[in-house]
Amino acid sequence: MFPMLTVLSMFYYICLRRRARIGTRGEIMNSRRAIESNQRTLPLTVEVEQYVKEIVDFSSHYGSENSMSYTMWNLAGMPNVYPSSGDFTQTAVFRMYGKWWEQCASAPQPFRRTPEKFQSQDYVELAFEEPVYPTSIDILETYHPGAVIRILACSLNPFSQNLPAEVRWEVLWLGEPSKMVTHQARQFSPCIKQINFPTNLIRLEVNSSLLEYYTELDAVVLRGVKERPLLSLYKMPLIDINDFSDSDEEKDAYEAERLRKQFGDTAINEHTNNGYFDKLPYELIQLLLDHLTLPDLCRLAQTCKLLYQHCCDPLQYIQLSLQPYWARVNDAALDHLQSRCTLIQRLNLSWSGNRGAISVPGFCRFLKVCGSQLVCLELACCHFLNEACLEVIAQMCPNLQELNLSSCDRLHPQAFSHISKLVGLRRLLLYRTKIEQTALLNILTYCTDLRHLNLGSCVMIEDYDVIASMLSAKSKNLKSLDIWRCKNITEKGISELVSGCRLLEELDLGWCSTLQSSTGCFVHLARHLPKLRKFFVTANRTVCDTDVEELAANCPNLQHLDLLGTRMVSPASLRKLLQSCKNLLLLDVSFCSQIDTRVVQELTVQFPKVSIKKSFTQ
């Protein structure tokens, strides 16, 4: 058994080595000629320094769509805050931080086969004036640094009217999620890789899961030269001198002869099949392959007919996340996967297909073949989507239960009306979309089994009281509702909502400035939602001790509470809350005027299991 494995391993090594030599010899020789012809006239180039000119795209931000506070647009131009540290509205802030978001009932189930190295949660794309060959990138982080984990460069000029035949993305730097010892400001300047094309489009990807609070970015500086540095041609990997030889056949013959001497002719000639692997049960092989990532599965399919059959089995593609490969997913990839995905139930295309990579016909063609069994479809930040796409989703995915259209902010408002045909929907994410009131009411009328609904930053909805009334009447099973930064809900809407949706576990009323504690809306809410686990009333300055005490008395399962910005909550009411709500994990009292640092320190010592947040400015 062991000699056979050794022989097969050596044979595989010979094939790989030969293929590598054939594929790279031309590049090596061309590079050598280029060096020889240019070594006497290497051009001197001047380094250009640029700040961000325009924010091209992003996945989320803490701020409002109609203001500049805490928005990604603050990354444009020169620094506003740096080198100061602290929580400032003039910075760019993403919507999430920490691991507690994953603990909420509304959190999506993770996809299998997601590569461990893909850990990005959010992104922002930055356009600069001049395309350059990057030499360095400085990221000015002013609060809780350490979230940036990937920096990429794009070959596309975002200010050009014409799309190139191929849009290339190259990773300049890759890191792990980290937690800094201090939350003070810093200039993050990682050592970046040299690339062979000029760029003025940079993408930052972040993971804030290890941070204790929101990360804040102030500005990004791109430095580079306009002419390709020829010195980079010298920076080639060390290569054995024998690799320049043309006698590949002689080397292969030598390797084969050496194997014969070691194991004999019989060992090489007899073991020409798959050995004992053929005798394994089909289900066991499928189970083994289930642990491979998608690229590995595709590579393995090229090794032999047996493994090709297993790797192309539709049962291997019951769920599939293409988000980690967003830069390479295009029409051809979807067409290639069609025959394998006929039984697919969960599909994640988030961040994919932009800038012409996926066309409307290509997406619709895929869904017409593979959409019938889908129960979950993740399409966050997919800007190729239009009304025709949503119409095909409604027609071809009758079993759909989860639909994520977060930050699909270029979808026309009338496109959302087709969602009402998906009557089995349980989870619908419309964060930062342009859905209007009529389409939303239509959806709520027919999709009566909704459990999770995200309408955060949906600025086109005219009257949230009407929406709340419809939810109360039609969505009795609703468990989570996010209306972050809704500007027009009143105590009447809250009263109707909680009277009909008694199963609510999560309610985000952050930055809903029209709600006033004096109307009794928060007291009424606490008394009618005994299952409440997450409650955000961020930046509502009217929340008072009475509201907190009612939460303590009626919501024993409370885990996450955001009271940021209130002026009327005292340390005494917080102690009552902490004593009553034994499951509390997160309490944000940032900018609460009666809660100073000393109080936070005392409460932290008394209740060590609770993460008490208190941001600052200086």
mmCIF file of all heavy atoms in Angstrom, residues 320 322 328-341 347 349 357-359 362-367 370 384:
data_model
loop_
_atom_site.group_PDB
_atom_site.id
_atom_site.type_symbol
_atom_site.label_atom_id
_atom_site.label_comp_id
_atom_site.label_asym_id
_atom_site.label_seq_id
_atom_site.Cartn_x
_atom_site.Cartn_y
_atom_site.Cartn_z
ATOM 1 N N LEU A 320 -24.114 27.029 -1.333
ATOM 2 C CA LEU A 320 -22.923 27.521 -2.016
ATOM 3 C C LEU A 320 -22.763 29.015 -1.769
ATOM 4 O O LEU A 320 -23.669 29.798 -2.040
ATOM 5 C CB LEU A 320 -23.040 27.248 -3.521
ATOM 6 C CG LEU A 320 -21.917 27.764 -4.413
ATOM 7 C CD1 LEU A 320 -20.602 27.080 -4.079
ATOM 8 C CD2 LEU A 320 -22.268 27.552 -5.880
ATOM 9 N N LEU A 322 -20.569 32.118 -2.961
ATOM 10 C CA LEU A 322 -19.609 32.660 -3.922
ATOM 11 C C LEU A 322 -19.074 34.023 -3.480
ATOM 12 O O LEU A 322 -18.262 34.619 -4.182
ATOM 13 C CB LEU A 322 -20.258 32.772 -5.302
ATOM 14 C CG LEU A 322 -20.650 31.441 -5.944
ATOM 15 C CD1 LEU A 322 -21.406 31.672 -7.252
ATOM 16 C CD2 LEU A 322 -19.426 30.573 -6.197
ATOM 17 N N ARG A 328 -14.014 37.218 -8.912
ATOM 18 C CA ARG A 328 -13.863 36.318 -10.066
ATOM 19 C C ARG A 328 -15.191 35.750 -10.563
ATOM 20 O O ARG A 328 -15.209 35.022 -11.550
ATOM 21 C CB ARG A 328 -12.922 35.170 -9.699
ATOM 22 C CG ARG A 328 -11.474 35.599 -9.499
ATOM 23 C CD ARG A 328 -10.613 34.411 -9.127
ATOM 24 N NE ARG A 328 -10.825 34.004 -7.742
ATOM 25 C CZ ARG A 328 -10.409 32.856 -7.240
ATOM 26 N NH1 ARG A 328 -9.787 31.978 -8.012
ATOM 27 N NH2 ARG A 328 -10.623 32.566 -5.975
ATOM 28 N N VAL A 329 -16.274 36.050 -9.886
ATOM 29 C CA VAL A 329 -17.568 35.494 -10.294
ATOM 30 C C VAL A 329 -18.119 36.299 -11.464
ATOM 31 O O VAL A 329 -18.265 37.520 -11.390
ATOM 32 C CB VAL A 329 -18.572 35.521 -9.114
ATOM 33 C CG1 VAL A 329 -19.931 35.003 -9.567
ATOM 34 C CG2 VAL A 329 -18.056 34.681 -7.960
ATOM 35 N N ASN A 330 -18.418 35.597 -12.560
ATOM 36 C CA ASN A 330 -18.964 36.248 -13.752
ATOM 37 C C ASN A 330 -19.966 35.309 -14.427
ATOM 38 O O ASN A 330 -20.294 34.241 -13.904
ATOM 39 C CB ASN A 330 -17.839 36.633 -14.722
ATOM 40 C CG ASN A 330 -16.924 35.460 -15.036
ATOM 41 O OD1 ASN A 330 -17.327 34.291 -14.957
ATOM 42 N ND2 ASN A 330 -15.690 35.747 -15.395
ATOM 43 N N ASP A 331 -20.448 35.706 -15.586
ATOM 44 C CA ASP A 331 -21.420 34.888 -16.316
ATOM 45 C C ASP A 331 -20.874 33.499 -16.616
ATOM 46 O O ASP A 331 -21.592 32.498 -16.490
ATOM 47 C CB ASP A 331 -21.808 35.577 -17.629
ATOM 48 C CG ASP A 331 -22.804 36.699 -17.419
ATOM 49 O OD1 ASP A 331 -23.314 36.839 -16.284
ATOM 50 O OD2 ASP A 331 -23.078 37.444 -18.377
ATOM 51 N N ALA A 332 -19.610 33.434 -17.020
ATOM 52 C CA ALA A 332 -19.009 32.130 -17.360
ATOM 53 C C ALA A 332 -18.990 31.206 -16.150
ATOM 54 O O ALA A 332 -19.257 30.002 -16.272
ATOM 55 C CB ALA A 332 -17.599 32.335 -17.912
ATOM 56 N N ALA A 333 -18.676 31.764 -14.976
ATOM 57 C CA ALA A 333 -18.658 30.943 -13.760
ATOM 58 C C ALA A 333 -20.052 30.409 -13.439
ATOM 59 O O ALA A 333 -20.214 29.241 -13.078
ATOM 60 C CB ALA A 333 -18.123 31.768 -12.597
ATOM 61 N N LEU A 334 -21.059 31.272 -13.566
ATOM 62 C CA LEU A 334 -22.428 30.819 -13.299
ATOM 63 C C LEU A 334 -22.861 29.754 -14.303
ATOM 64 O O LEU A 334 -23.513 28.768 -13.938
ATOM 65 C CB LEU A 334 -23.390 32.006 -13.336
ATOM 66 C CG LEU A 334 -23.255 33.035 -12.209
ATOM 67 C CD1 LEU A 334 -24.320 34.115 -12.338
ATOM 68 C CD2 LEU A 334 -23.324 32.383 -10.840
ATOM 69 N N ASP A 335 -22.502 29.951 -15.559
ATOM 70 C CA ASP A 335 -22.847 28.945 -16.577
ATOM 71 C C ASP A 335 -22.166 27.614 -16.278
ATOM 72 O O ASP A 335 -22.759 26.539 -16.443
ATOM 73 C CB ASP A 335 -22.424 29.441 -17.965
ATOM 74 C CG ASP A 335 -23.309 30.581 -18.462
ATOM 75 O OD1 ASP A 335 -24.419 30.746 -17.923
ATOM 76 O OD2 ASP A 335 -22.866 31.319 -19.365
ATOM 77 N N HIS A 336 -20.921 27.678 -15.829
ATOM 78 C CA HIS A 336 -20.170 26.453 -15.512
ATOM 79 C C HIS A 336 -20.806 25.706 -14.338
ATOM 80 O O HIS A 336 -20.806 24.466 -14.308
ATOM 81 C CB HIS A 336 -18.725 26.813 -15.189
ATOM 82 C CG HIS A 336 -17.881 25.641 -14.802
ATOM 83 N ND1 HIS A 336 -17.403 24.720 -15.719
ATOM 84 C CD2 HIS A 336 -17.435 25.219 -13.588
ATOM 85 C CE1 HIS A 336 -16.701 23.790 -15.093
ATOM 86 N NE2 HIS A 336 -16.701 24.064 -13.797
ATOM 87 N N LEU A 337 -21.363 26.455 -13.390
ATOM 88 C CA LEU A 337 -21.921 25.835 -12.190
ATOM 89 C C LEU A 337 -23.365 25.365 -12.365
ATOM 90 O O LEU A 337 -23.895 24.677 -11.489
ATOM 91 C CB LEU A 337 -21.856 26.831 -11.020
ATOM 92 C CG LEU A 337 -20.463 27.117 -10.450
ATOM 93 C CD1 LEU A 337 -20.515 28.311 -9.511
ATOM 94 C CD2 LEU A 337 -19.914 25.895 -9.721
ATOM 95 N N GLN A 338 -23.988 25.727 -13.464
ATOM 96 C CA GLN A 338 -25.419 25.415 -13.648
ATOM 97 C C GLN A 338 -25.736 23.945 -13.441
ATOM 98 O O GLN A 338 -26.631 23.582 -12.677
ATOM 99 C CB GLN A 338 -25.875 25.851 -15.037
ATOM 100 C CG GLN A 338 -26.461 27.230 -15.081
ATOM 101 C CD GLN A 338 -27.088 27.542 -16.439
ATOM 102 O OE1 GLN A 338 -27.549 26.629 -17.124
ATOM 103 N NE2 GLN A 338 -27.092 28.801 -16.820
ATOM 104 N N SER A 339 -25.001 23.076 -14.117
ATOM 105 C CA SER A 339 -25.315 21.647 -14.062
ATOM 106 C C SER A 339 -25.079 21.065 -12.675
ATOM 107 O O SER A 339 -25.672 20.041 -12.314
ATOM 108 C CB SER A 339 -24.470 20.880 -15.092
ATOM 109 O OG SER A 339 -23.082 21.041 -14.807
ATOM 110 N N ARG A 340 -24.247 21.710 -11.875
ATOM 111 C CA ARG A 340 -23.948 21.207 -10.529
ATOM 112 C C ARG A 340 -24.944 21.728 -9.485
ATOM 113 O O ARG A 340 -25.001 21.176 -8.386
ATOM 114 C CB ARG A 340 -22.527 21.619 -10.114
ATOM 115 C CG ARG A 340 -21.463 21.247 -11.128
ATOM 116 C CD ARG A 340 -20.081 21.580 -10.605
ATOM 117 N NE ARG A 340 -19.047 21.332 -11.614
ATOM 118 C CZ ARG A 340 -17.751 21.245 -11.356
ATOM 119 N NH1 ARG A 340 -17.324 21.380 -10.113
ATOM 120 N NH2 ARG A 340 -16.874 21.025 -12.308
ATOM 121 N N CYS A 341 -25.650 22.793 -9.790
ATOM 122 C CA CYS A 341 -26.471 23.480 -8.780
ATOM 123 C C CYS A 341 -27.968 23.248 -8.965
ATOM 124 O O CYS A 341 -28.778 24.067 -8.521
ATOM 125 C CB CYS A 341 -26.172 24.972 -8.808
ATOM 126 S SG CYS A 341 -24.491 25.394 -8.284
ATOM 127 N N LEU A 347 -27.861 30.004 -1.577
ATOM 128 C CA LEU A 347 -26.898 30.604 -2.496
ATOM 129 C C LEU A 347 -26.535 32.002 -2.012
ATOM 130 O O LEU A 347 -27.416 32.818 -1.727
ATOM 131 C CB LEU A 347 -27.471 30.680 -3.912
ATOM 132 C CG LEU A 347 -26.626 31.404 -4.959
ATOM 133 C CD1 LEU A 347 -25.305 30.683 -5.198
ATOM 134 C CD2 LEU A 347 -27.398 31.540 -6.275
ATOM 135 N N LEU A 349 -24.487 35.226 -3.281
ATOM 136 C CA LEU A 349 -23.794 35.969 -4.339
ATOM 137 C C LEU A 349 -23.430 37.382 -3.893
ATOM 138 O O LEU A 349 -23.090 38.223 -4.735
ATOM 139 C CB LEU A 349 -24.675 36.048 -5.589
ATOM 140 C CG LEU A 349 -24.682 34.839 -6.520
ATOM 141 C CD1 LEU A 349 -25.750 34.997 -7.591
ATOM 142 C CD2 LEU A 349 -23.328 34.631 -7.167
ATOM 143 N N ALA A 357 -19.510 42.175 -14.582
ATOM 144 C CA ALA A 357 -19.062 40.783 -14.461
ATOM 145 C C ALA A 357 -20.222 39.813 -14.617
ATOM 146 O O ALA A 357 -20.095 38.772 -15.268
ATOM 147 C CB ALA A 357 -18.356 40.570 -13.116
ATOM 148 N N ILE A 358 -21.359 40.134 -13.988
ATOM 149 C CA ILE A 358 -22.573 39.330 -14.166
ATOM 150 C C ILE A 358 -23.597 40.192 -14.878
ATOM 151 O O ILE A 358 -23.892 41.312 -14.449
ATOM 152 C CB ILE A 358 -23.134 38.842 -12.818
ATOM 153 C CG1 ILE A 358 -22.159 37.873 -12.147
ATOM 154 C CG2 ILE A 358 -24.481 38.151 -13.004
ATOM 155 C CD1 ILE A 358 -22.636 37.356 -10.793
ATOM 156 N N SER A 359 -24.129 39.673 -15.954
ATOM 157 C CA SER A 359 -25.152 40.397 -16.708
ATOM 158 C C SER A 359 -26.531 39.964 -16.241
ATOM 159 O O SER A 359 -26.690 38.913 -15.600
ATOM 160 C CB SER A 359 -24.994 40.129 -18.205
ATOM 161 O OG SER A 359 -25.267 38.756 -18.482
ATOM 162 N N GLY A 362 -27.312 36.636 -17.805
ATOM 163 C CA GLY A 362 -26.538 35.559 -17.178
ATOM 164 C C GLY A 362 -27.119 35.150 -15.837
ATOM 165 O O GLY A 362 -27.222 33.953 -15.529
ATOM 166 N N PHE A 363 -27.514 36.129 -15.032
ATOM 167 C CA PHE A 363 -28.120 35.834 -13.729
ATOM 168 C C PHE A 363 -29.471 35.140 -13.893
ATOM 169 O O PHE A 363 -29.755 34.135 -13.224
ATOM 170 C CB PHE A 363 -28.286 37.138 -12.943
ATOM 171 C CG PHE A 363 -28.996 36.984 -11.631
ATOM 172 C CD1 PHE A 363 -28.358 36.426 -10.539
ATOM 173 C CD2 PHE A 363 -30.314 37.397 -11.483
ATOM 174 C CE1 PHE A 363 -29.013 36.294 -9.318
ATOM 175 C CE2 PHE A 363 -30.981 37.268 -10.279
ATOM 176 C CZ PHE A 363 -30.328 36.710 -9.195
ATOM 177 N N CYS A 364 -30.285 35.651 -14.782
ATOM 178 C CA CYS A 364 -31.613 35.065 -15.002
ATOM 179 C C CYS A 364 -31.500 33.647 -15.568
ATOM 180 O O CYS A 364 -32.281 32.755 -15.202
ATOM 181 C CB CYS A 364 -32.429 35.956 -15.938
ATOM 182 S SG CYS A 364 -32.814 37.587 -15.257
ATOM 183 N N ARG A 365 -30.520 33.436 -16.442
ATOM 184 C CA ARG A 365 -30.307 32.104 -17.024
ATOM 185 C C ARG A 365 -29.966 31.090 -15.930
ATOM 186 O O ARG A 365 -30.457 29.959 -15.932
ATOM 187 C CB ARG A 365 -29.184 32.197 -18.056
ATOM 188 C CG ARG A 365 -28.939 30.950 -18.867
ATOM 189 C CD ARG A 365 -28.063 31.258 -20.061
ATOM 190 N NE ARG A 365 -26.771 31.801 -19.702
ATOM 191 C CZ ARG A 365 -26.351 33.036 -20.029
ATOM 192 N NH1 ARG A 365 -27.142 33.854 -20.705
ATOM 193 N NH2 ARG A 365 -25.146 33.456 -19.676
ATOM 194 N N PHE A 366 -29.145 31.514 -14.976
ATOM 195 C CA PHE A 366 -28.764 30.631 -13.876
ATOM 196 C C PHE A 366 -29.976 30.300 -12.998
ATOM 197 O O PHE A 366 -30.197 29.142 -12.638
ATOM 198 C CB PHE A 366 -27.663 31.288 -13.047
ATOM 199 C CG PHE A 366 -27.192 30.458 -11.889
ATOM 200 C CD1 PHE A 366 -26.230 29.474 -12.072
ATOM 201 C CD2 PHE A 366 -27.706 30.654 -10.619
ATOM 202 C CE1 PHE A 366 -25.792 28.696 -11.003
ATOM 203 C CE2 PHE A 366 -27.277 29.882 -9.545
ATOM 204 C CZ PHE A 366 -26.320 28.909 -9.742
ATOM 205 N N LEU A 367 -30.756 31.307 -12.655
ATOM 206 C CA LEU A 367 -31.904 31.073 -11.764
ATOM 207 C C LEU A 367 -32.975 30.209 -12.428
ATOM 208 O O LEU A 367 -33.660 29.441 -11.753
ATOM 209 C CB LEU A 367 -32.515 32.398 -11.323
ATOM 210 C CG LEU A 367 -31.859 33.114 -10.143
ATOM 211 C CD1 LEU A 367 -32.784 34.181 -9.598
ATOM 212 C CD2 LEU A 367 -31.470 32.161 -9.027
ATOM 213 N N CYS A 370 -31.586 26.773 -11.796
ATOM 214 C CA CYS A 370 -31.207 26.380 -10.432
ATOM 215 C C CYS A 370 -32.067 27.001 -9.329
ATOM 216 O O CYS A 370 -31.761 26.813 -8.146
ATOM 217 C CB CYS A 370 -29.746 26.758 -10.177
ATOM 218 S SG CYS A 370 -28.584 26.143 -11.407
ATOM 219 N N PHE A 384 -25.725 44.770 -10.152
ATOM 220 C CA PHE A 384 -26.201 44.395 -11.484
ATOM 221 C C PHE A 384 -27.708 44.126 -11.470
ATOM 222 O O PHE A 384 -28.343 44.053 -12.530
ATOM 223 C CB PHE A 384 -25.463 43.147 -11.984
ATOM 224 C CG PHE A 384 -25.738 41.901 -11.178
ATOM 225 C CD1 PHE A 384 -26.837 41.096 -11.459
ATOM 226 C CD2 PHE A 384 -24.898 41.539 -10.136
ATOM 227 C CE1 PHE A 384 -27.095 39.946 -10.713
ATOM 228 C CE2 PHE A 384 -25.148 40.394 -9.395
ATOM 229 C CZ PHE A 384 -26.249 39.599 -9.679
#
